[in-house]
Structure formats: structure tokens, C-alpha cells
């Protein structure tokens, strides 16, 4: 187990280095941040001075090495646009994105697994057919269109929920949360549904497909022949084996929730790191863009590592194969 973890961590470090290199390379073609920092009356001397202050006059390998050196020390550089440390800006915006991602993930996992199990057990019922047909909406429609439709129905027509913003927040140390206020709870409902709907339908369909396959297996038939109750067959034998392949997809989707929060945050003007990334592209704020992508990469790597470890907890065959050296 320890050797497996060490190998995965080393692989993750290589992935992060490659992602950082690719991101830095692409940002060189986004534009010149000096054009946005200086006015129309800038001189050649002003341009050279600013480029020297920002370190943009250095070769690309030197810029990338300095960025990595700062990241290892918790220093992500200074924002070209705001003139503030990027770490402070991310710390202000991260709670909003992580809170939205957590609520969306909870919505997707709980509802996805519940509906997936139900539609597998009652696969011929009219309600199951209705749920499966309705789930095509979450799979087919793009995220931004789902968000606009929800805003039109629940914010514009019915007036039940706010259409933008995070609502009132409460400061708990360095963390800010809107889950402790009424306006904050209302504000997060539409963005969370918009962000988690696709993942929920994907998880639901995957759980249903795996559950149906497991229910047709021999050991389930043997469990029924032994006279076990339907509840024991479904939830003790079938569901546990169903979750093994589901964990991989679910883990990747949780990473996608954070990565693709950009669209949802833009539609609902949610003050998170996704909206910050969009604004940084407009102003060619390279430190913010690079730090955001590195942050998302770290989250993906950590989630994948957790998923691999969960395999051992759910499927004892994997532990046995590792222990036997296979």
C-alpha cells in the first residue's frame, strides 16, 4: 500500500509539472499584459520598465522556474491587474467555489445513486421510465442553457430565488460561508442544481446500468435462492458491488464540478475562482491564470488518489492482489 501511494504521488508531481509547463506556454499567446497595464500614452521606456518589474523580459524557462519556485513556498506571484498577492486573491474567492462545488457534489451523488438504484429495481415502472426520459435533459442541454432556463423560471417568472450573487455571507475565521444565512441558502440553490445536474444524471445512469448487470449475476441469484430478503439482496450484495466501477466516474466528475464551475459562476455571477479566471483572461493576468490551473490540477490529482484508495476499501480483491504481488 505504501509503495502504491508513493508511486501515485510521484506520478502526480510529474502531471502537475507538465500542466504548469503547458499552461505557461499557452499563456504566452494570450496577449501582452503590459498593454492593459499602461495607457495609450505609454512610451517605450515605460513598456521596458514594466516588463522588467514583472519579470517578462526574462526567458521563458526562467519565468517558469521562478513560478514553480514560488509555488513550492506558497507564493503564487502578484496579480498584474490588482497588484496584490495571488494567494490572497485565491483565498478570498476559493470559499465560494468550494462551497458551490460541495453542495453540487452532494446533490449529484445522493440523488444520482438514489435514483439509479430505484430505476434499476423498478425498471419497468412508469416512474422509472419518466425519470430516465427526464434525465436526457441533464445530459443533452449545455450547462449555461440550463442555468438560463432556471433563472427565467424561478427568478424572473416565479421570483422565488435570486438570479445572481452569493447572498449574505458569514465570516468564520478566514472562511466565508453563505450556508448560515437565508439569502445565502437561496442564492446557492440554482447554481448548485445547474452545476450538478449533468453529473447527477451521469451517475444515475451509470449506477442503474451497473446495478442491472449485478442483479443478473450468479451470486445474486444464489443469494435469492438462499431465501435472503429483497432488501438484503439489493443493498448488501448488489449495491456494494455496483459502487466499485461507479467510484472512478464519480471521482472524476467531482473534479469536473470544480473545473467547470467557470460556466456556472459566469452565468450566476458567483464570486468564485472560476469568475476570477474569466476576468484574468480579459486582462491577461498570467499569475492568476497559471495559479488557477495549478490549483485545479492539484484538486484533480488529490481526488484521483482518494479514488484509488477507496478501491481498496470497497473491493477486497484489489487488496488481495496487491498483497499477493500480482
Amino acid at each position: 500500500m505504501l509503495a502504491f501511494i508513493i508511486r501515485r504521488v510521484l506520478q502526480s508531481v510529474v502531471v502537475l509539472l507538465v500542466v504548469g509547463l503547458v499552461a505557461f506556454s499557452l499563456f504566452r499567446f494570450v496577449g501582452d499584459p503590459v498593454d492593459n497595464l499602461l495607457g495609450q500614452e505609454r512610451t517605450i521606456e515605460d513598456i521596458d520598465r514594466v516588463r522588467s518589474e514583472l519579470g517578462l523580459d526574462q526567458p521563458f524557462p526562467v519565468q517558469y522556474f521562478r513560478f514553480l519556485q514560488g509555488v513550492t513556498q506558497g507564493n503564487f506571484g502578484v496579480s498584474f491587474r490588482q497588484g496584490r498577492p495571488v494567494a490572497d486573491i485565491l483565498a478570498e474567492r476559493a470559499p465560494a467555489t468550494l462551497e458551490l462545488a460541495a453542495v453540487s457534489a452532494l446533490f449529484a451523488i445522493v440523488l444520482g445513486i438514489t435514483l439509479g438504484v430505484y430505476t434499476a429495481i423498478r425498471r419497468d415502472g412508469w416512474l422509472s421510465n419518466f425519470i430516465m426520459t427526464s434525465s436526457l435533459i441533464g445530459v443533452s442541454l449545455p450547462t449555461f442553457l440550463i442555468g438560463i432556463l432556471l433563472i427565467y423560471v424561478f427568478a424572473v417568472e416565479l421570483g422565488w430565488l435570486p438570479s445572481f450573487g452569493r447572498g449574505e455571507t458569514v465570516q468564520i475565521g478566514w472562511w466565508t460561508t453563505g450556508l448560515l444565512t437565508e439569502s445565502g441558502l437561496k442564492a446557492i440553490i440554482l447554481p448548485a442544481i445547474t452545476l450538478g445536474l449533468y453529473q447527477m444524471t451521469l451517475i444515475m445512469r451509470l449506477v442503474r446500468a451497473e446495478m442491472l448487470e449485478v442483479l443478473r449475476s450468479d451470486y445474486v441469484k444464489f443469494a435469492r435462492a438462499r431465501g435472503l430478503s429483497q432488501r438484503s439482496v439489493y443493498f448488501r450484495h448488489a449495491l456494494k458491488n455496483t459502487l466499485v466501477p461507479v467510484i472512478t466516474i464519480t471521482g472524476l466528475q467531482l473534479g469536473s464540478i470544480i473545473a467547470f464551475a467557470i460556466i456556472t459562476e459566469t452565468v450566476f455571477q458567483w464570486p468564485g475562482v472560476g469568475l476570477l479566471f474569466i476576468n484574468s483572461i480579459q486582462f491577461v493576468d498570467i499569475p492568476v491564470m497559471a495559479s488557477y490551473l495549478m490549483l485545479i490540477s492539484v484538486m484533480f490529482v488529490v481526488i484521483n488518489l482518494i479514488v484509488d484508495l477507496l478501491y481498496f476499501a470497497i473491493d477486497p480483491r484489489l487488496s488481495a492482489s496487491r498483497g499477493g504481488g500480482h
Side-chain angles (χ1 to χ4, degrees):
M1 172 68 79
L2 182 60
F4 171 74
I5 295 177
I6 294 175
R7 185 168 63 252
R8 290 290 296 169
V9 170
L10 293 177
Q11 292 173 353
S12 302
V13 171
V14 174
V15 170
L16 293 177
L17 291 175
V18 172
V19 169
L21 180 61
V22 172
F24 241 76
S25 302
L26 291 177
F27 292 155
R28 300 187 64 180
F29 301 99
V30 174
D32 192 347
V34 177
D35 294 336
N36 294 311
L37 295 174
L38 299 177
Q40 295 294 330
E41 299 180 357
R42 62 184 181 271
T43 63
I44 300 297
E45 290 77 11
D46 293 333
I47 295 176
D48 293 338
R49 175 179 55 81
V50 173
R51 291 184 65 84
S52 177
E53 292 175 354
L54 298 179
L56 298 176
D57 58 338
Q58 300 293 327
F60 172 76
V62 176
Q63 296 183 38
Y64 180 56
F65 177 76
R66 286 182 176 177
F67 174 73
L68 292 180
Q69 190 177 31
V71 168
T72 57
Q73 301 172 358
N75 179 17
F76 295 93
V78 178
S79 169
F80 293 164
R81 179 191 178 194
Q82 302 184 31
R84 300 170 53 207
V86 176
D88 294 344
I89 300 174
L90 293 177
E92 292 176 358
R93 297 292 195 108
T97 296
L98 293 177
E99 195 170 87
L100 175 61
V103 175
S104 301
L106 184 64
F107 162 76
I109 293 174
V110 173
L111 205 57
I113 294 179
T114 302
L115 293 180
V117 171
Y118 177 81
T119 53
I121 296 175
R122 309 291 185 186
R123 58 183 178 275
D124 296 325
W126 67 269
L127 183 57
S128 296
N129 293 328
F130 175 76
I131 292 174
M132 293 302 298
T133 303
S134 301
S135 67
L136 294 175
I137 297 176
V139 176
S140 305
L141 294 181
T143 301
F144 74 91
L145 184 56
I146 294 175
I148 293 174
L149 290 174
L150 291 177
I151 290 175
Y152 176 75
V153 174
F154 293 100
V156 177
E157 291 295 328
L158 299 177
W160 292 351
L161 300 170
S163 61
F164 67 93
R166 196 183 176 193
E168 185 180 355
T169 60
V170 176
Q171 190 81 25
I172 304 177
W174 66 273
W175 188 273
T176 58
T177 178
L179 300 180
L180 300 179
T181 64
E182 182 180 356
S183 62
L185 288 173
K186 288 183 176 180
I188 202 172
I189 292 176
L190 293 184
I193 294 176
T194 301
L195 185 58
L197 186 61
Y198 173 78
Q199 282 74 18
M200 186 273 290
T201 54
L202 187 65
I203 293 173
M204 182 194 73
R205 287 179 166 271
L206 181 61
V207 169
R208 180 180 185 272
E210 292 294 334
M211 188 81 168
L212 289 175
E213 183 177 352
V214 169
L215 289 175
R216 289 192 292 264
S217 61
D218 292 336
Y219 68 88
V220 171
K221 295 177 181 178
F222 179 72
R224 284 173 171 163
R226 290 173 53 198
L228 297 179
S229 64
Q230 291 284 58
R231 180 184 297 272
S232 178
V233 171
Y234 288 145
F235 298 103
R236 185 178 177 182
H237 293 79
L239 182 58
K240 185 176 181 179
N241 290 278
T242 297
L243 292 180
V244 174
V246 170
I247 285 180
T248 301
I249 301 299
T250 302
L252 294 176
Q253 291 307 310
L254 293 183
S256 300
I257 285 179
I258 300 176
F260 297 120
I262 294 178
I263 301 174
T264 303
E265 291 185 4
T266 303
V267 172
F268 291 93
Q269 289 300 292
W270 189 265
V273 293
L275 186 61
L276 175 68
F277 179 71
I278 294 296
N279 294 333
S280 67
I281 293 177
Q282 297 174 355
F283 290 91
V284 200
D285 201 341
I286 296 177
V288 175
M289 290 189 288
S291 301
Y292 171 81
L293 289 182
M294 290 295 290
L295 180 65
I296 296 300
S297 302
V298 169
M299 290 181 179
F300 262 103
V301 166
V302 171
I303 289 174
N304 286 335
L305 181 59
I306 293 175
V307 167
D308 288 338
L309 295 179
L310 283 177
Y311 272 146
F312 288 87
I314 291 182
D315 193 345
R317 294 172 298 180
L318 296 177
S319 300
S321 64
R322 292 284 180 184
H326 297 298

